[in-house]
Amino acid sequence: MEQTLGTAARPLRVAIIGAGPAAFYAVDALFKQPNLLCQVDMFNRFPTPYGLVREGVAPDHESIKTVTRVYDKTATNPNFRYFGNVTFGKDVHLDELLPLYDQIIYAVGAQSDRRMGIPGEDLAGSYPATIFVGWYNGHPDYRDLTFDLSCERVAVVGNGNVAMDVARILVTDPEALAATDIADHALQALRQSKVKEVYLLGRRGPVQASFTNPELKEFGELEGVDVVVDPRDLELDPASEEALLTDKNATRNVTTLRRYLENTEYTRPRKVFFKFLTSPVEVFGKDGRVSGLKVERNRLEVQNDGTLRAKGTGQTEVLDVGLIFRSVGYRGVALNGVPFDEKTGTIPNVAGRVINLATGEQQAGQYVVGWAKRGPSGIIGTNKPDSLSTVQSMVADLAEMPGIADSKRDRALIEQLLKDKGLDYVTFPDWQVLNEHEIGLGKAQNRPRVKCTRVDEMLEIIRQRATPQS
Ligand code: NAP
């Protein structure tokens, strides 16, 4: 009779695709399951792990990044292995992993962005905020982009924390950013920037904004920056007033915005204009480039379900901006051979178990965590309970699971497969070599690190001091 899965005789073999917070929390939860022996192999597209902690969290939010210490601790478990620089769907395929792993977890996040759906959106100078974020954070895909920062006014569309990050980076004194791990190419460009005014556009009111209060308060603490709020936006409708009774973050935000109203001097060199109840309706262009943004004033309308929706009033104005960043949410991208829900941009699942969207049937042994599971919402810590709930589903399924053939349980098989394919994969010790290198460069400049932003260079640095993975 076959041994139970997850015992010393038959350790549970798990592959996890992605190396962001949701992935590491899932690994941690697996290792912490009582009476479960589990071997986890993590596959990641880039040599560098940590996903949005490295490529998304703003450079001036250094303390948030210390969360990687927890992930590094998880990675010390001898049953954990990391295979960086391996792209699922390109370098390795689902049908190659299925015979080698009892369970597979998708932790791929949301790799694309939502669109505004308005004319002129694709003109040069109108970009998804996500690629600007990737650019200043040294994401290898975006490091060679150039953003023309020679205009004085920029619009950032959306009222989430990403919009706040983008607006803040645009108006922060570059010399303050010079002490962070911002990508060198971005620092250089921001030092030449002529941007003086940023319009932050929220289609609904301040009570409905999804940014959090610490992010809002940061603007008031920025050197050389005035925060400008339209007093009309703080005359709240009854439904918004009522929402304040139960929404602590919104209450704090309204208090902070009212405090910003007290400043009426506006003498500082850079300004952030919070424009609520304002929707973009058309991007104007000149010679193929953004030359302005037509916006419409909204009012709020209560829906049948009690939510408040923005409704145009017909009252429009044109903002004289040369750059637009749309920050209206991330969106998932389908993985080859894996079910995908086009409507939500997520992998369809029930409690983390991947299902076939048409039949509702569970895809045996396949699971999902993080943004790929629930959509792009929540802070880093939200992923901890989210990943745990998927792991609980995985454990509950074990009793009914035959598991892979014993002849395929050898941990060396995947390494052999990757080597046979000629893949130059990066192990966790390899990453630590690169990590030390970046931190070393940073020390010399009084910065947390200087990021390496090209995959080729990363591999070169690693290969100079390669150590085998046990
Ligand atoms: P988000 O919080 O979902 O915000 C998206 C914003 O876009 C909302 O204000 C939304 O308004 C607006 N929007 C959507 N469609 C629009 C349209 N067609 N026209 C105008 N506005 C539109 O998303 P996010 O900012 O991308 O952030 C993603 C997640 O990462 C969030 O959970 C966020 O908190 C988190 N994050 C956290 C931090 C941090 O902790 N410091 C930093 C960055 C990101 P409606 O509300 O009206 O839909």
Side-chain angles (χ1 to χ4, degrees), residues 132-181:
F132 186 64
V133 169
W135 173 76
Y136 64 62
N137 278 327
H139 187 301
D141 285 353
Y142 308 123
R143 58 101 47 237
D144 289 317
L145 295 180
T146 50
F147 294 94
D148 183 355
L149 301 172
S150 63
C151 59
E152 292 199 352
R153 276 170 297 278
V154 177
V156 179
V157 182
N159 261 182
N161 278 332
V162 172
M164 301 294 265
D165 284 348
V166 167
R168 194 178 64 256
I169 294 297
L170 284 168
V171 294
T172 297
D173 181 347
E175 294 327 306
L177 293 174
T180 72
D181 67 359

Short mmCIF file of all heavy atoms in Angstrom, two decimals, residues 132-181:
data_model
loop_
_atom_site.label_atom_id
_atom_site.label_comp_id
_atom_site.label_asym_id
_atom_site.label_seq_id
_atom_site.Cartn_x
_atom_site.Cartn_y
_atom_site.Cartn_z
N PHE A 132 5.50 52.80 -14.76
CA PHE A 132 6.32 53.87 -14.16
C PHE A 132 6.87 53.37 -12.81
O PHE A 132 8.05 53.56 -12.50
CB PHE A 132 5.45 55.12 -13.96
CG PHE A 132 6.20 56.33 -13.47
CD1 PHE A 132 7.18 56.92 -14.26
CD2 PHE A 132 5.92 56.89 -12.24
CE1 PHE A 132 7.87 58.06 -13.82
CE2 PHE A 132 6.59 58.02 -11.78
CZ PHE A 132 7.58 58.60 -12.58
N VAL A 133 6.01 52.68 -12.07
CA VAL A 133 6.44 52.10 -10.79
C VAL A 133 7.58 51.11 -11.05
O VAL A 133 8.61 51.12 -10.36
CB VAL A 133 5.25 51.40 -10.08
CG1 VAL A 133 5.72 50.57 -8.90
CG2 VAL A 133 4.20 52.42 -9.64
N GLY A 134 7.38 50.24 -12.06
CA GLY A 134 8.42 49.27 -12.40
C GLY A 134 9.71 49.97 -12.80
O GLY A 134 10.81 49.56 -12.40
N TRP A 135 9.58 51.04 -13.53
CA TRP A 135 10.76 51.79 -14.02
C TRP A 135 11.56 52.36 -12.86
O TRP A 135 12.77 52.17 -12.78
CB TRP A 135 10.26 52.90 -14.95
CG TRP A 135 11.28 53.88 -15.42
CD1 TRP A 135 12.24 53.67 -16.38
CD2 TRP A 135 11.43 55.23 -14.96
NE1 TRP A 135 12.97 54.82 -16.56
CE2 TRP A 135 12.51 55.79 -15.71
CE3 TRP A 135 10.78 56.02 -14.03
CZ2 TRP A 135 12.93 57.11 -15.51
CZ3 TRP A 135 11.19 57.33 -13.84
CH2 TRP A 135 12.27 57.86 -14.58
N TYR A 136 10.87 53.05 -11.92
CA TYR A 136 11.68 53.66 -10.84
C TYR A 136 12.17 52.62 -9.83
O TYR A 136 13.06 52.88 -9.06
CB TYR A 136 11.00 54.88 -10.21
CG TYR A 136 9.70 54.71 -9.44
CD1 TYR A 136 9.61 53.92 -8.30
CD2 TYR A 136 8.55 55.41 -9.83
CE1 TYR A 136 8.42 53.81 -7.59
CE2 TYR A 136 7.36 55.30 -9.13
CZ TYR A 136 7.30 54.49 -8.00
OH TYR A 136 6.13 54.39 -7.30
N ASN A 137 11.55 51.42 -9.88
CA ASN A 137 12.01 50.37 -8.98
C ASN A 137 12.99 49.39 -9.62
O ASN A 137 13.33 48.37 -9.04
CB ASN A 137 10.81 49.57 -8.44
CG ASN A 137 10.16 50.28 -7.27
OD1 ASN A 137 10.83 50.94 -6.49
ND2 ASN A 137 8.85 50.14 -7.13
N GLY A 138 13.41 49.69 -10.85
CA GLY A 138 14.43 48.85 -11.48
C GLY A 138 13.92 47.51 -12.00
O GLY A 138 14.70 46.56 -12.12
N HIS A 139 12.64 47.43 -12.31
CA HIS A 139 12.08 46.21 -12.91
C HIS A 139 12.76 46.02 -14.28
O HIS A 139 12.71 46.93 -15.11
CB HIS A 139 10.57 46.43 -13.07
CG HIS A 139 9.80 45.24 -13.52
ND1 HIS A 139 10.05 44.58 -14.71
CD2 HIS A 139 8.76 44.58 -12.94
CE1 HIS A 139 9.20 43.58 -14.84
NE2 HIS A 139 8.41 43.56 -13.78
N PRO A 140 13.38 44.85 -14.52
CA PRO A 140 14.14 44.69 -15.78
C PRO A 140 13.32 44.96 -17.04
O PRO A 140 13.86 45.46 -18.02
CB PRO A 140 14.60 43.23 -15.72
CG PRO A 140 14.66 42.91 -14.27
CD PRO A 140 13.54 43.67 -13.63
N ASP A 141 12.02 44.68 -17.04
CA ASP A 141 11.21 44.91 -18.24
C ASP A 141 11.08 46.38 -18.60
O ASP A 141 10.78 46.72 -19.74
CB ASP A 141 9.77 44.39 -18.04
CG ASP A 141 9.70 42.88 -18.10
OD1 ASP A 141 10.72 42.26 -18.42
OD2 ASP A 141 8.62 42.33 -17.80
N TYR A 142 11.19 47.24 -17.61
CA TYR A 142 10.89 48.66 -17.83
C TYR A 142 12.09 49.57 -17.68
O TYR A 142 11.97 50.78 -17.83
CB TYR A 142 9.77 49.11 -16.86
CG TYR A 142 8.56 48.21 -16.91
CD1 TYR A 142 8.08 47.58 -15.77
CD2 TYR A 142 7.93 47.97 -18.12
CE1 TYR A 142 6.99 46.73 -15.83
CE2 TYR A 142 6.83 47.12 -18.19
CZ TYR A 142 6.37 46.51 -17.04
OH TYR A 142 5.29 45.67 -17.11
N ARG A 143 13.26 49.00 -17.40
CA ARG A 143 14.41 49.84 -17.05
C ARG A 143 14.89 50.67 -18.27
O ARG A 143 15.53 51.70 -18.11
CB ARG A 143 15.55 49.03 -16.41
CG ARG A 143 16.11 47.91 -17.19
CD ARG A 143 17.40 48.25 -17.87
NE ARG A 143 18.36 48.90 -16.99
CZ ARG A 143 18.89 50.07 -17.24
NH1 ARG A 143 18.53 50.76 -18.34
NH2 ARG A 143 19.80 50.60 -16.45
N ASP A 144 14.56 50.23 -19.48
CA ASP A 144 15.02 50.98 -20.64
C ASP A 144 13.97 51.97 -21.17
O ASP A 144 14.19 52.61 -22.20
CB ASP A 144 15.44 50.02 -21.76
CG ASP A 144 16.73 49.32 -21.39
OD1 ASP A 144 17.64 50.00 -20.87
OD2 ASP A 144 16.83 48.10 -21.57
N LEU A 145 12.85 52.10 -20.48
CA LEU A 145 11.85 53.09 -20.91
C LEU A 145 12.37 54.49 -20.59
O LEU A 145 13.20 54.66 -19.71
CB LEU A 145 10.54 52.88 -20.15
CG LEU A 145 9.79 51.58 -20.40
CD1 LEU A 145 8.52 51.54 -19.56
CD2 LEU A 145 9.45 51.46 -21.88
N THR A 146 11.85 55.46 -21.34
CA THR A 146 12.15 56.84 -20.96
C THR A 146 10.83 57.59 -20.81
O THR A 146 9.92 57.41 -21.61
CB THR A 146 13.02 57.56 -22.02
OG1 THR A 146 12.40 57.35 -23.28
CG2 THR A 146 14.44 57.07 -22.04
N PHE A 147 10.72 58.35 -19.77
CA PHE A 147 9.53 59.17 -19.56
C PHE A 147 9.96 60.61 -19.73
O PHE A 147 10.95 61.03 -19.12
CB PHE A 147 8.97 58.94 -18.15
CG PHE A 147 8.44 57.55 -17.96
CD1 PHE A 147 9.25 56.56 -17.42
CD2 PHE A 147 7.16 57.22 -18.36
CE1 PHE A 147 8.77 55.27 -17.26
CE2 PHE A 147 6.68 55.94 -18.21
CZ PHE A 147 7.48 54.96 -17.67
N ASP A 148 9.23 61.32 -20.58
CA ASP A 148 9.58 62.71 -20.84
C ASP A 148 9.05 63.56 -19.68
O ASP A 148 7.86 63.85 -19.61
CB ASP A 148 8.96 63.14 -22.18
CG ASP A 148 9.36 64.56 -22.54
OD1 ASP A 148 10.02 65.22 -21.71
OD2 ASP A 148 9.00 65.01 -23.64
N LEU A 149 9.96 63.93 -18.79
CA LEU A 149 9.56 64.70 -17.61
C LEU A 149 9.84 66.19 -17.81
O LEU A 149 10.06 66.94 -16.86
CB LEU A 149 10.30 64.18 -16.36
CG LEU A 149 10.06 62.69 -16.03
CD1 LEU A 149 10.99 62.23 -14.92
CD2 LEU A 149 8.62 62.44 -15.64
N SER A 150 9.78 66.60 -19.10
CA SER A 150 10.09 68.00 -19.38
C SER A 150 8.85 68.89 -19.25
O SER A 150 8.94 70.11 -19.39
CB SER A 150 10.69 68.15 -20.79
OG SER A 150 9.73 67.75 -21.73
N CYS A 151 7.67 68.28 -19.02
CA CYS A 151 6.47 69.11 -18.86
C CYS A 151 6.33 69.54 -17.38
O CYS A 151 6.93 68.94 -16.50
CB CYS A 151 5.23 68.32 -19.27
SG CYS A 151 5.00 66.82 -18.34
N GLU A 152 5.51 70.56 -17.15
CA GLU A 152 5.38 71.06 -15.77
C GLU A 152 4.23 70.41 -15.03
O GLU A 152 4.21 70.39 -13.80
CB GLU A 152 5.19 72.58 -15.79
CG GLU A 152 6.45 73.29 -16.26
CD GLU A 152 6.47 74.76 -15.87
OE1 GLU A 152 5.46 75.27 -15.37
OE2 GLU A 152 7.53 75.38 -16.09
N ARG A 153 3.23 69.90 -15.80
CA ARG A 153 2.03 69.36 -15.14
C ARG A 153 1.74 67.93 -15.57
O ARG A 153 1.85 67.60 -16.75
CB ARG A 153 0.82 70.25 -15.42
CG ARG A 153 0.73 71.45 -14.47
CD ARG A 153 -0.33 72.43 -14.91
NE ARG A 153 0.01 73.00 -16.21
CZ ARG A 153 0.86 74.02 -16.37
NH1 ARG A 153 1.42 74.62 -15.34
NH2 ARG A 153 1.14 74.47 -17.58
N VAL A 154 1.38 67.11 -14.57
CA VAL A 154 1.11 65.68 -14.80
C VAL A 154 -0.22 65.33 -14.15
O VAL A 154 -0.52 65.84 -13.06
CB VAL A 154 2.24 64.82 -14.16
CG1 VAL A 154 1.95 63.33 -14.33
CG2 VAL A 154 3.60 65.17 -14.73
N ALA A 155 -0.99 64.46 -14.80
CA ALA A 155 -2.21 63.93 -14.16
C ALA A 155 -1.99 62.48 -13.77
O ALA A 155 -1.42 61.70 -14.55
CB ALA A 155 -3.40 64.03 -15.11
N VAL A 156 -2.39 62.14 -12.56
CA VAL A 156 -2.38 60.74 -12.12
C VAL A 156 -3.84 60.37 -11.87
O VAL A 156 -4.50 60.98 -11.03
CB VAL A 156 -1.53 60.56 -10.84
CG1 VAL A 156 -1.55 59.10 -10.40
CG2 VAL A 156 -0.10 61.03 -11.06
N VAL A 157 -4.33 59.41 -12.64
CA VAL A 157 -5.74 59.03 -12.55
C VAL A 157 -5.91 57.86 -11.59
O VAL A 157 -5.27 56.83 -11.75
CB VAL A 157 -6.29 58.65 -13.95
CG1 VAL A 157 -7.78 58.31 -13.86
CG2 VAL A 157 -6.05 59.76 -14.94
N GLY A 158 -6.79 58.02 -10.60
CA GLY A 158 -7.02 56.95 -9.63
C GLY A 158 -6.74 57.45 -8.23
O GLY A 158 -5.97 58.41 -8.04
N ASN A 159 -7.38 56.81 -7.27
CA ASN A 159 -7.23 57.24 -5.88
C ASN A 159 -6.83 56.08 -4.98
O ASN A 159 -7.30 55.94 -3.87
CB ASN A 159 -8.55 57.86 -5.37
CG ASN A 159 -8.53 59.38 -5.41
OD1 ASN A 159 -9.48 60.03 -5.01
ND2 ASN A 159 -7.42 59.96 -5.89
N GLY A 160 -5.96 55.22 -5.51
CA GLY A 160 -5.44 54.13 -4.69
C GLY A 160 -4.03 54.45 -4.21
O GLY A 160 -3.49 55.53 -4.51
N ASN A 161 -3.42 53.54 -3.50
CA ASN A 161 -2.07 53.80 -2.98
C ASN A 161 -1.01 53.84 -4.08
O ASN A 161 0.03 54.48 -3.91
CB ASN A 161 -1.70 52.76 -1.93
CG ASN A 161 -2.29 53.11 -0.57
OD1 ASN A 161 -2.51 54.29 -0.27
ND2 ASN A 161 -2.57 52.11 0.24
N VAL A 162 -1.28 53.17 -5.21
CA VAL A 162 -0.31 53.25 -6.30
C VAL A 162 -0.29 54.67 -6.85
O VAL A 162 0.78 55.25 -7.10
CB VAL A 162 -0.63 52.22 -7.41
CG1 VAL A 162 0.25 52.45 -8.63
CG2 VAL A 162 -0.44 50.80 -6.89
N ALA A 163 -1.46 55.26 -7.03
CA ALA A 163 -1.54 56.65 -7.49
C ALA A 163 -0.79 57.57 -6.52
O ALA A 163 -0.06 58.48 -6.95
CB ALA A 163 -3.00 57.09 -7.61
N MET A 164 -0.93 57.31 -5.23
CA MET A 164 -0.25 58.13 -4.23
C MET A 164 1.27 57.99 -4.36
O MET A 164 2.02 58.97 -4.29
CB MET A 164 -0.67 57.71 -2.81
CG MET A 164 -2.15 57.83 -2.57
SD MET A 164 -2.73 59.54 -2.60
CE MET A 164 -2.67 59.92 -0.87
N ASP A 165 1.72 56.74 -4.56
CA ASP A 165 3.17 56.50 -4.72
C ASP A 165 3.71 57.28 -5.92
O ASP A 165 4.74 57.95 -5.84
CB ASP A 165 3.45 55.01 -4.95
CG ASP A 165 3.33 54.17 -3.68
OD1 ASP A 165 3.27 54.75 -2.59
OD2 ASP A 165 3.32 52.93 -3.79
N VAL A 166 2.99 57.16 -7.03
CA VAL A 166 3.47 57.79 -8.28
C VAL A 166 3.51 59.32 -8.12
O VAL A 166 4.51 59.97 -8.46
CB VAL A 166 2.55 57.38 -9.46
CG1 VAL A 166 2.79 58.25 -10.68
CG2 VAL A 166 2.78 55.91 -9.80
N ALA A 167 2.44 59.88 -7.55
CA ALA A 167 2.39 61.34 -7.37
C ALA A 167 3.52 61.78 -6.42
O ALA A 167 4.19 62.79 -6.67
CB ALA A 167 1.03 61.74 -6.79
N ARG A 168 3.73 61.02 -5.36
CA ARG A 168 4.76 61.40 -4.38
C ARG A 168 6.17 61.35 -5.00
O ARG A 168 6.97 62.25 -4.81
CB ARG A 168 4.68 60.46 -3.16
CG ARG A 168 5.44 60.95 -1.95
CD ARG A 168 5.29 60.02 -0.77
NE ARG A 168 5.85 58.70 -1.01
CZ ARG A 168 5.17 57.61 -1.27
NH1 ARG A 168 3.86 57.62 -1.32
NH2 ARG A 168 5.77 56.45 -1.50
N ILE A 169 6.43 60.29 -5.76
CA ILE A 169 7.76 60.19 -6.38
C ILE A 169 7.97 61.37 -7.34
O ILE A 169 9.07 61.93 -7.42
CB ILE A 169 7.92 58.83 -7.13
CG1 ILE A 169 7.91 57.67 -6.13
CG2 ILE A 169 9.18 58.81 -8.00
CD1 ILE A 169 9.02 57.63 -5.11
N LEU A 170 6.91 61.79 -8.04
CA LEU A 170 7.05 62.89 -9.00
C LEU A 170 7.35 64.22 -8.33
O LEU A 170 7.99 65.08 -8.94
CB LEU A 170 5.77 63.01 -9.84
CG LEU A 170 5.58 61.96 -10.93
CD1 LEU A 170 4.15 61.99 -11.47
CD2 LEU A 170 6.59 62.16 -12.07
N VAL A 171 6.88 64.43 -7.10
CA VAL A 171 7.09 65.75 -6.48
C VAL A 171 8.16 65.74 -5.37
O VAL A 171 8.53 66.81 -4.87
CB VAL A 171 5.78 66.35 -5.90
CG1 VAL A 171 4.79 66.66 -7.01
CG2 VAL A 171 5.15 65.45 -4.85
N THR A 172 8.65 64.56 -5.02
CA THR A 172 9.68 64.50 -3.98
C THR A 172 11.00 65.07 -4.51
O THR A 172 11.36 64.84 -5.67
CB THR A 172 9.89 63.04 -3.52
OG1 THR A 172 8.68 62.58 -2.94
CG2 THR A 172 11.00 62.91 -2.49
N ASP A 173 11.70 65.78 -3.65
CA ASP A 173 13.03 66.29 -4.01
C ASP A 173 13.92 65.09 -4.35
O ASP A 173 14.12 64.20 -3.52
CB ASP A 173 13.59 67.05 -2.79
CG ASP A 173 14.97 67.62 -3.08
OD1 ASP A 173 15.59 67.24 -4.10
OD2 ASP A 173 15.42 68.46 -2.27
N PRO A 174 14.48 65.03 -5.58
CA PRO A 174 15.30 63.88 -5.96
C PRO A 174 16.46 63.63 -4.99
O PRO A 174 16.90 62.50 -4.83
CB PRO A 174 15.82 64.26 -7.35
CG PRO A 174 14.89 65.30 -7.85
CD PRO A 174 14.33 66.02 -6.66
N GLU A 175 16.93 64.70 -4.34
CA GLU A 175 18.05 64.47 -3.40
C GLU A 175 17.60 63.64 -2.20
O GLU A 175 18.41 62.94 -1.59
CB GLU A 175 18.69 65.79 -2.98
CG GLU A 175 19.39 66.53 -4.13
CD GLU A 175 20.03 65.60 -5.17
OE1 GLU A 175 20.83 64.73 -4.79
OE2 GLU A 175 19.71 65.73 -6.38
N ALA A 176 16.31 63.72 -1.86
CA ALA A 176 15.80 62.84 -0.80
C ALA A 176 15.71 61.40 -1.31
O ALA A 176 16.01 60.45 -0.59
CB ALA A 176 14.42 63.33 -0.34
N LEU A 177 15.36 61.26 -2.58
CA LEU A 177 15.27 59.91 -3.15
C LEU A 177 16.66 59.29 -3.34
O LEU A 177 16.80 58.07 -3.40
CB LEU A 177 14.55 59.95 -4.51
CG LEU A 177 13.07 60.33 -4.45
CD1 LEU A 177 12.49 60.47 -5.86
CD2 LEU A 177 12.27 59.29 -3.67
N ALA A 178 17.66 60.14 -3.43
CA ALA A 178 19.02 59.65 -3.65
C ALA A 178 19.51 58.78 -2.50
O ALA A 178 20.47 58.03 -2.65
CB ALA A 178 19.97 60.83 -3.87
N ALA A 179 18.84 58.88 -1.36
CA ALA A 179 19.25 58.07 -0.21
C ALA A 179 18.49 56.74 -0.17
O ALA A 179 18.64 55.96 0.77
CB ALA A 179 18.97 58.84 1.09
N THR A 180 17.68 56.47 -1.19
CA THR A 180 16.87 55.23 -1.21
C THR A 180 17.46 54.25 -2.23
O THR A 180 18.49 54.52 -2.84
CB THR A 180 15.43 55.55 -1.62
OG1 THR A 180 15.40 55.86 -3.03
CG2 THR A 180 14.86 56.73 -0.84
N ASP A 181 16.73 53.14 -2.43
CA ASP A 181 17.20 52.17 -3.43
C ASP A 181 16.53 52.39 -4.79
O ASP A 181 16.44 51.48 -5.60
CB ASP A 181 16.99 50.73 -2.94
CG ASP A 181 15.52 50.35 -2.83
OD1 ASP A 181 14.64 51.20 -3.10
OD2 ASP A 181 15.24 49.19 -2.46
#
